[in-house]
Amino acid sequence: MGCCFGTNYNDFVLRVTTGSQKNAGTDTSVYIILHDDFNHASGVIHLDNCLHDDFKRGRTDIFNVPTSKTESLHVQGNIIQIELWRERSTFDSDWYVNKIEIENRFRNTTYLFPVYRWIKANVHYVINQFDTCLAQEDHLTKQRSHELEEKKKTYEYDFISPGLPVKIKKFPQDEAFDSDTKWRIISKKVKLIVLSKILLSSAEWKTMEDLKNIYTKGKALYMPYNVSKWAKIYGRMMYFLGIKEFQVSILC
């Protein structure tokens, strides 16, 4: 198992979030190196909690980093880059990482590293803080070129017929909703359908209060932010249009 992390107080705490895509988890050994803005690097950190099955799909794992692994970092340094990789296994697919958060308890600072990549075996991924920069300022040109080539293969176009819009040959797995998201969408749809039937079968609206009631029958429809101003807005509209209340009654 290698280095196992306990629950003792440490200067650095890592939170690693695995994606919820199908087969996103991994059982292989995972390693990381932290780099600060003083050009100092930590030791190789083996992310492994004793007697715990780490990196499961859709889960966030917490690792307390031993002080011996981070003592080479500058005391006043900020973590600006990480290097992440995993070993090869014959039993699982690539590992999908959503993000890695690094908390420096000594300085009370947290650093965010969006990953959102499939981590292939024995490939070292270098991720800058926020993973954002202009193309001309990206010093990781080799990694960037490789990832762009992978994207081209993933989103390869298919021409159906001249003059018609192109489409993607094969719908990428990463673009599909995971099971949890699909369930939330279906649940929301059912709530809206039920609520719409209730509203259609309810009594007619005679006052502003009747209209407000449609937003209190369930959590599917939330009360608008400016609902308290409806009457005032309605009155002003009638004033500018030159319509009086008794005229509205006659028209209705």
Side-chain angles (χ1 to χ4, degrees), residues 213-229:
N213 287 336
I214 69 172
Y215 297 101
T216 59
K217 294 184 180 295
K219 294 183 178 179
L221 290 177
Y222 296 94
M223 184 76 73
Y225 176 75
N226 64 343
V227 67
S228 60
K229 301 178 182 178

Side-chain angles (χ1 to χ4, degrees), residues 96-154:
Y96 192 90
V97 183
N98 278 357
K99 62 181 179 179
I100 296 177
E101 294 175 276
I102 302 172
E103 179 186 355
N104 185 334
R105 289 178 171 176
F106 178 75
R107 300 189 61 194
N108 193 27
T109 306
T110 300
Y111 307 96
L112 175 63
F113 292 86
V115 181
Y116 296 101
R117 291 172 173 85
W118 288 97
I119 305 300
K120 300 181 182 298
N122 298 325
V123 177
H124 288 235
Y125 293 82
V126 179
I127 312 294
N128 293 321
Q129 189 179 13
F130 306 124
D131 194 30
T132 304
C133 70
L134 296 174
Q136 60 269 29
E137 296 178 357
D138 192 352
H139 301 294
L140 307 171
T141 53
K142 186 177 292 186
Q143 177 176 296
R144 181 183 179 86
S145 298
H146 175 74
E147 291 181 344
L148 286 175
E149 288 301 320
E150 290 291 322
K151 289 290 184 183
K152 288 180 182 178
K153 294 177 183 177
T154 302

